[in-house]
Amino acid sequence: MSTQRKSILSGRMVQRAILDSFRKLNPVMMIKNPVMFVVELGAMLVLLQMLLPGILGRSSHTGFNIAVFVILLITILFANFAEALAEGRGKAQADHLKKTKQQVMANKRVGGGLRSVPSTELRKEDIVVVSQGEMIPGDGEIIEGLASVDESAITGESAPVIKEAGGDFCSVTGGTLVVSDSIVVRITNDPGESFIDRMISLVKGAKRQRTPNEIALGTLLAVLTVIFLIVVFTLKPIADYLNIELETAVLISLLVCLIPTTIGGLLSAIGIAGMDRVTQYNVLAMSGKAVEAAGDVNTMILDKTGTITYGNRMAAELLPVGAGTEAELANWAAISSQFDETPEGRSVLALLRERGLIYDELLARSGDSIEFKAETRMSGVDLPDGRRVRKGAVDAIRRWVAEQSGQIPDDLEAVTHRVAVAGGTPLAVAVDAVIYGVIYLKDTVKPGMKERFEQLRKMGIRTIMCTGDNPLTAATIAQEAGVDDYIAECKPEDKIDVIRREQAAGKLVAMTGDGTNDAPALAQADVGLAMNSGTVSAKEAANMVDLDSDPSKLIEVVGIGKQLLMTRGALTTFSIANDIAKYFAILPAMFMLAIPQMSVLNVMKLGSPLSAVLSALIFNAVIIPLLIPIAMRGVKYRPMSSQRLLSRNLLIYGLGGVVAPFIGIKLIDLFVHLWI
């Protein structure tokens, strides 16, 4: 995972979460969580019995009733605290964003001149001019000029980025600072609809929409709650018929321990924390559905350039031809690259340093630079002694040498073909009429990509690389990177076709993009991750935006989505497994006095019926805060098949959920029994 992850907790956040825990006791808010709402109703009924004993029958155990009420109240507060704590980071991040959303003055074009107006008066399609040192007043697209823009207020990245009119890097965000030059911007949003406005509303966990899986699980928990409500209410008339006295507080305790209170109290926190983990990696999810969908992705579509590879062709090898030696080729290649500030030119000098090869640097610096031109497809140096050193496309160098009546080495074509077949780009190096060799340039695969794709394969995710390269180059890079499939000479419509084909087979598809031509595919994909440096249309089409503009982060997002689903499943398993021990604690306690044979179920040998009930209730309450760190941080995800993952979780959280309450309730009972 990225190193950008920030701390989840702070003292101020915890304090605010504690206050919110009490505010959330409002029944209007509690009813959104049916499980915890039933617990609150139970607490109110126990309180009502203590205050008005004539309504729900008298109780001979006032101290027990008080203890039950306090434990139930603490259970609710713990559940509210989990949700409030998960929301806390979103609110803190929203507060930080509000500070960046300051009122600035804009130079708006009106007629033939400029007029200074507040940014709140700007509307869509307005044209503004932003110069060095000025804040960009609103979201827009550059229509004239080029500038260096400080986006640290949005991305946290201190290094400015270059933005220019046209292409895929013309989008600018309101609240960012122009640090050089001047640009003309067309505003693309009305007030209240800016990127920061959307970020503020989205990072607030309280306004998070529940995902389909979360709704389904919530419905299941509600159904289980209703079932156990019916079971517990029918116990009362049955007990009365058998002349067994069951007090209201005991029945409510049984109900609270039977219903899945643990997962009910943590469900919202898990969902909110899942979205929060995405924002911690500087990815803005437009909804929880996008994060959850990432966890179910079967196919991942990735661009080659900038995602799988660095995108810059780098010198990988020096291949002499004819009578030339590697030392001679290295010397002339370095001299021809002395004034070449492109990544390719710098990589030639870096390769010489790496190989321990030397060149005549003084001679190189004494020459006159010959810049690369599209017409000649060459660059190089003219030396003071009249020699001309050139580096460029093989066919261009071949013609240049032929014009000087030079000889073309017999093995030049074979070496050039070898480089091309390997997916590289050959650059020939010549001095006057002599060709010394070929520089092998290749688009280097980023370190660790092959291992990451292997991890995705273990998750059951198929990777497809899209590239505009020819089939030979595409095949070479695909093999080196370890992707499952590739599309060479890929056009925008090809991406949509492959997405639709995968979706038609019942698969969920994720992809990244930054350009306007990527927008249709981003909209079609189940998970579309747009780059913040990209166009407005790409960001609007996607359901996630990476503020760092790192296309490979899609792999991290999928891991976070799977971690969210796994956390929810693991804690649900643990919660339901917990109930087994509670049955053995409360059921014997309820009937043991009237039916002595029920004592055989008291496998934990709990001290007394009342201490058994209280011990189960206390365990039911304290397990929620103990699980909050797991709900917030997420269960550690390891790439493996779904079957192995299920077996592992059943072993750890299923078996653990059965065993832990037996131990916990027994230990609590040792202390509670002394008080009772």
Side-chain angles (χ1 to χ4, degrees), residues 258-421:
L258 289 180
I259 63 178
T261 49
T262 305
I263 188 61
L266 295 172
L267 185 59
S268 295
I270 293 168
I272 296 168
M275 284 192 69
D276 178 59
R277 279 194 294 277
V278 173
T279 62
Q280 287 174 53
Y281 291 99
N282 260 6
V283 174
L284 175 64
M286 301 305 178
S287 70
K289 295 179 183 179
V291 182
E292 192 169 274
D296 284 329
V297 161
N298 308 105
T299 303
M300 187 181 295
I301 297 175
L302 300 151
D303 278 329
K304 184 206 76 171
T305 306
T307 303
I308 296 173
T309 66
Y310 284 112
N312 295 321
R313 298 174 303 167
M314 313 292 282
E317 198 173 347
L318 298 174
L319 305 172
V321 295
T325 65
E326 184 180 31
E328 289 176 319
L329 174 59
N331 181 63
W332 295 120
I335 289 175
S336 67
S337 302
Q338 184 65 43
F339 300 103
D340 186 352
E341 295 299 329
T342 64
E344 292 91 338
R346 296 300 91 196
S347 72
V348 171
L349 300 181
L351 180 64
L352 262 65
R353 287 193 295 270
E354 183 183 320
R355 299 279 181 87
L357 299 171
I358 59 174
Y359 71 101
D360 193 338
E361 189 172 351
L362 290 176
L363 178 63
R365 291 184 180 279
S366 66
D368 294 325
S369 170
I370 304 299
E371 294 184 1
F372 177 86
K373 292 182 180 179
E375 306 88 71
T376 62
R377 297 167 64 207
M378 294 185 297
S379 64
V381 175
D382 284 350
L383 299 175
D385 59 10
R387 286 180 294 178
R388 297 179 298 169
V389 186
R390 294 293 184 268
K391 172 189 69 179
V394 175
D395 57 339
I397 293 293
R398 190 198 301 265
R399 283 195 302 272
W400 186 71
V401 169
E403 289 171 0
Q404 302 173 78
S405 302
Q407 292 294 318
I408 307 300
D410 295 335
D411 56 346
L412 177 62
E413 186 175 350
V415 170
T416 301
H417 180 70
R418 193 178 93 197
V419 172
V421 168

Side-chain angles (χ1 to χ4, degrees), residues 21 39 146 203 267 279 325 350 443 457 640-641 652:
S21 301
V39 178
L146 175 149
V203 299
L267 185 59
T279 62
T325 65
D443 192 357
R457 199 170 292 110
M640 60 181 70
S641 67
I652 296 175

Side-chain angles (χ1 to χ4, degrees), residues 167-325:
D168 293 338
F169 298 96
C170 61
S171 171
V172 290
T173 306
T176 56
L177 180 70
V178 174
V179 295
S180 72
D181 303 293
S182 177
I183 51 177
V184 179
V185 177
R186 180 193 295 116
I187 301 297
T188 55
N189 294 99
D190 290 325
E193 299 175 356
S194 70
F195 187 65
I196 290 184
D197 288 319
R198 280 184 286 145
M199 286 179 68
I200 292 171
S201 64
L202 288 166
V203 299
K204 287 183 177 178
K207 294 185 179 180
R208 180 186 63 92
Q209 291 183 338
R210 295 202 302 165
T211 63
N213 282 349
E214 190 175 347
I215 292 171
L217 182 55
T219 303
L220 174 62
L221 298 182
V223 170
L224 288 174
T225 301
V226 171
I227 291 172
F228 285 122
L229 267 171
I230 295 171
V231 170
V232 171
F233 275 117
T234 55
L235 278 178
K236 179 63 175 172
I238 294 172
D240 290 343
Y241 178 77
L242 297 173
N243 295 319
I244 300 173
E245 184 180 353
L246 293 180
E247 295 187 7
T248 302
V250 174
L251 285 171
I252 291 172
S253 299
L254 174 63
L255 174 62
V256 170
C257 287
L258 289 180
I259 63 178
T261 49
T262 305
I263 188 61
L266 295 172
L267 185 59
S268 295
I270 293 168
I272 296 168
M275 284 192 69
D276 178 59
R277 279 194 294 277
V278 173
T279 62
Q280 287 174 53
Y281 291 99
N282 260 6
V283 174
L284 175 64
M286 301 305 178
S287 70
K289 295 179 183 179
V291 182
E292 192 169 274
D296 284 329
V297 161
N298 308 105
T299 303
M300 187 181 295
I301 297 175
L302 300 151
D303 278 329
K304 184 206 76 171
T305 306
T307 303
I308 296 173
T309 66
Y310 284 112
N312 295 321
R313 298 174 303 167
M314 313 292 282
E317 198 173 347
L318 298 174
L319 305 172
V321 295
T325 65

